[in-house]
Structure formats: C-alpha cells, structure tokens
C-alpha cells in the first residue's frame, strides 16, 4: 500500500508544474492546488492525472505483481466555487464523493441546479443494479367501491429503496428509466411481482383484481400484449384479474399505436383504465376510440377542491357514465371527500382516508378485515 501511495504521488507530481502543490491529506486522498489558465475548467489537467494513473503499477518484491486501480476526481475552482481555502476543499471533496458514488471519473463542483442533474445521473447509473440487488418493492393500495362498500380492486405502486439515497419515488425514477431504457425491465419486473401477489390475494377473494401502471413506452413495444399474457400464465392467474392503467397523456402521445396495443390487450382479457384523467388534453371523442372501461380522476382535483372543481368533477363523472365508463376518484384524504364522491355517484375512491399504499402482508390483513366487516 505504501509503495502504491508513493508511486501515485510521483506520477501525479509529474503532471504538475513547480508552482502547483500536491498533498496527501490522509488515506488514499490526494489534493492538488493548481493555478489554471484563464477560462479553463481544469478538465485538461484532470485528464492528464488519469493518463498518468492508467499504466499498471509494477512491483517485483518478492514476486512480480502488476496492480491496476481507479481514481475519482472532484474539482472546485476559485472564486466561483468558494473564496476560502476551507470552502474550496469542502466543495472539491463533495464533488469527488459524487463522482465516486456515481461510479464516474470526474465531477466539477456545482450548486443546486447541477446537483439535481447529477442526482439523476447517479440514479440512472444505479438503476442498472436495482433489480438485481433486490432494491425494488411494490406497495398495494385498495380501491374502494363507494356504492357497495367493498374492496375488490388494488393498485400496485413501485418503490426503490436506494442503498445510500433512501426511498426513491416512482415519480422521480420512472422518467429516468424511460430515458435510459431500463423501463422494459422495470415493467416486466413489476408485472411479475404483481401477478405473483395477485395469486396470493385471490386466495382471500377470487374476484380481486390488481391494477398495474404501464409506462407510455409500451406503445412502442408491439410484443407487449404477448409478454404480459405470458406472465399471467406463468403466475397461474387469469388476465381478467389484471387491470392496466395508462395515463391520459401517454395514450395521447401516440394515439394510433395506443389504440392498436390497447385493443390487443383487451382482446386478451385485460381491462384498461385511463389514469390521471383531467390533466392531459384528451377529448371525450378520442376516449370513445380507446377500449377503456374506467377513468381515474387525477388527485389534483380533489386535493385542490374549491372554486369550481367540484362542478368539474361532477361533470367528468356524468360524462364518463354516459360513455359507460366507471370512475375512480383519486386523492381521497378525508371523509368529507368520500361523502362528496358518493353523492356525485362516483363508483370508486382511492386515497389515504381509506388506506395508504401498504406492503402486501398489511394489505392482506386489510382485505381480511374488510371481508369480516362485510359479513358482519
Ligand atoms: P398514480 O398511478 O396516479 O398513483 C397514485 C399516486 O397517488 C400514488 O403515488 C399514491 O401513493 C398517491 N396517493 C394515493 N392516495 C393518495 C392521497 O390520498 N393523497 C395523496 N396526496 N396521494 C395519494 P406514488 O405511489 O408516488 O406513484 C406516483 C406515480 O408513479 C403513479 O401515479 C404512477 O403514475 C407511477 N407509478 C407507480 N408505480 C408504477 C409502476 O409500477 N410502473 C409505472 N410505469 N408507473 C408507476
Ligand atoms: Mg395509477
Ligand atoms: Mg393517478
């Protein structure tokens, strides 16, 4: 180890000029204080560091060995990234850890905006291992039948327990997966899990169905109807136990492909809901062309109730009913909202007032409890 540190120090010094300073502050961390030409971001010199470290380290005491290793570099530049030595060192350090965590060579320190980008980059890189390392899991939220008081429908919602960043919401990582191509694997993983769990829930009540969210990407995957049908077969459940949710905006983005794929899916026995309804730009005439059986009114309508949004909700429910579609109200956080939906003849309610998204075992208890209440 000592020999390597000495050799690293020599190679790095070889890159620097007499006016620069190189120091080892401890462990395997080196700091370089470098005066840069005007307008330079230091990239060139960092490349020289990497080049200097690229060749294997050869030792022949007692036997010949060659050692290869990696480095991560973070940089902070005076005065943009700090005007004191302390702040420059701290920010360079932070940039180095970001590089290390993301598994990339080199990060230049930057404040908020860029750290958002860097977080996305990190999530994008880390997602590659999320499935393999068992970091994803599903939660299940009941969808309550307002008129009958029963729960026969459950929505599966994915979560990512990241090893260092904690719990990541699908709102954050799904768009990233859509960009980096991970979405196919995610869709398949979610589908497998939810179908397997559906089999278990159906032992409580064979009429249960699970709603699974589909990304708009499936509309460019002509094989998706067969793939999903196959997973149902493997899981020994009927396609009739699975409802698929697609958002209004994704179905609108590629209407012809959406109609084609959704028709194939319904032909196989799946039912379809339009999710987050009211936030996109679809017209009801377009909706009549899609083989959907249900609309889910976006939670923003109930969460920001007031002004005229109750009238808008009522109008959406009536129009949906006139098209023979069932309606789910999302974001039911209070009893008042549930009563309001009931009075508006809404079919289903989903929200924290009924239950938050729950782990499978808790949901199973919830189902058993509500069955008991029903029979009582
Ligand atoms: P969504 O399909 O509209 O799911 C409903 C979201 O509302 C969920 O957020 C749920 O936790 C939240 N929610 C439920 N009840 C309430 C309530 O009373 N109040 C409030 N404020 N929120 C409530 P979540 O789980 O964060 O999921 C967000 C979105 O991510 C989902 O919206 C869905 O579009 C997407 N998503 C989730 N799981 C998957 C998945 O497996 N695949 C795909 N492609 N998308 C998914
Ligand atoms: Mg949904
Ligand atoms: Mg929704």
């Amino acid at each position: 180890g000592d020999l390597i540190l000495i050799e690293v120090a020599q190679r790095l010094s070889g890159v620097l000029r007499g006016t620069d300073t190189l120091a080892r502050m401890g462990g395997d961390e080196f700091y370089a204080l470098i005066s840069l030409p005007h307008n330079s971001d230091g990239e060139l010199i960092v490349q020289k560091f990497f080049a200097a470290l690229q060749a294997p380290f050869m030792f022949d005491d007692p036997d010949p060995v060659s050692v290869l290793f990696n480095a991560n570099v973070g940089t902070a530049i005076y005065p943009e990234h700090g005007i004191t030595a302390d702040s420059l060192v701290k920010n360079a350090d932070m940039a180095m850890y970001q590089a290390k965590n993301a598994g990339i060579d080199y990060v230049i320190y930057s404040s908020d905006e860029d750290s958002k980008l860097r977080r996305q980059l990190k999530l994008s890189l880390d997602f590659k291992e999320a499935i393999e390392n068992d970091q994803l899991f599903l939660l299940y939220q009941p969808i309550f039948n307002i008129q009958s008081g029963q729960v026969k429908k459950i929505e599966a919602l994915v979560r990512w327990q990241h090893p260092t960043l904690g719990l990541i919401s699908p709102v954050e990582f799904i768009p990233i997966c859509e960009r980096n191509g991970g979405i196919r694997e995610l869709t398949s993983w979610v589908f497998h899990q939810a179908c397997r769990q559906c089999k278990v829930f159906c032992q409580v009540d064979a009429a249960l169905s699970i709603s699974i969210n589909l990304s708009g990407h499936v509309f460019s995957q002509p094989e998706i109807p067969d793939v999903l049908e196959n997973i149902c077969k493997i899981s020994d459940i009927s396609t009739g136990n699975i409802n698929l949710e697609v958002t209004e905006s994704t179905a609108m983005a590629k209407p012809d492909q959406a109609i084609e794929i959704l028709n194939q899916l319904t032909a196989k026995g799946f039912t379809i809901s339009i999710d987050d309804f009211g936030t996109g730009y679809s017209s009801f005439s377009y909706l009549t062309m899609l083989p959907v059986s249900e609309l889910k009114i976006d939670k923003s309508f109930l969460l920001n109730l007031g002004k005229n949004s109750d009238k808008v909700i009522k109008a959406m429910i009536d129009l949906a009913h006139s098209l023979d579609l069932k309606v789910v109200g999302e974001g039911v956080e209070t009893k008042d909202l549930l009563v309001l939906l009931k009075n508006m003849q809404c079919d289903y309610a989903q929200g924290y007032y009924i239950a938050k998204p729950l782990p499978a075992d808790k949901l199973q208890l919830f189902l058993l409890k509500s069955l008991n209440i029903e029979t009582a």
Side-chain angles (χ1 to χ4, degrees), residues 152-210:
K152 301 276 182 198
K153 287 148 68 82
I154 298 155
E155 180 170 8
L157 297 159
V158 69
R159 299 286 181 271
W160 178 10
Q161 185 66 50
H162 187 283
T164 54
L165 300 176
L167 197 63
I168 315 282
S169 152
V171 178
E172 184 172 14
F173 73 83
I174 285 182
I176 294 175
C177 292
E178 287 174 338
R179 287 196 295 270
N180 75 6
I183 190 69
R184 281 173 183 244
E185 213 192 334
L186 178 79
T187 303
S188 155
W189 183 88
V190 168
F191 217 82
H192 271 283
Q193 294 290 316
C195 287
R196 195 178 306 155
Q197 195 57 51
C198 184
K199 178 83 187 162
V200 178
F201 289 153
C202 281
Q203 284 157 5
V204 177
D205 181 347
L208 284 177
S209 75
I210 292 202

Side-chain angles (χ1 to χ4, degrees), residues 155-157 211-213 245-247 275-276 296 330 350:
E155 180 170 8
L157 297 159
S211 292
I212 301 175
N213 294 285
E245 297 191 3
V246 292
T247 64
D275 205 353
D276 301 351
K296 300 188 76 173
E330 290 186 314
Q350 183 177 356

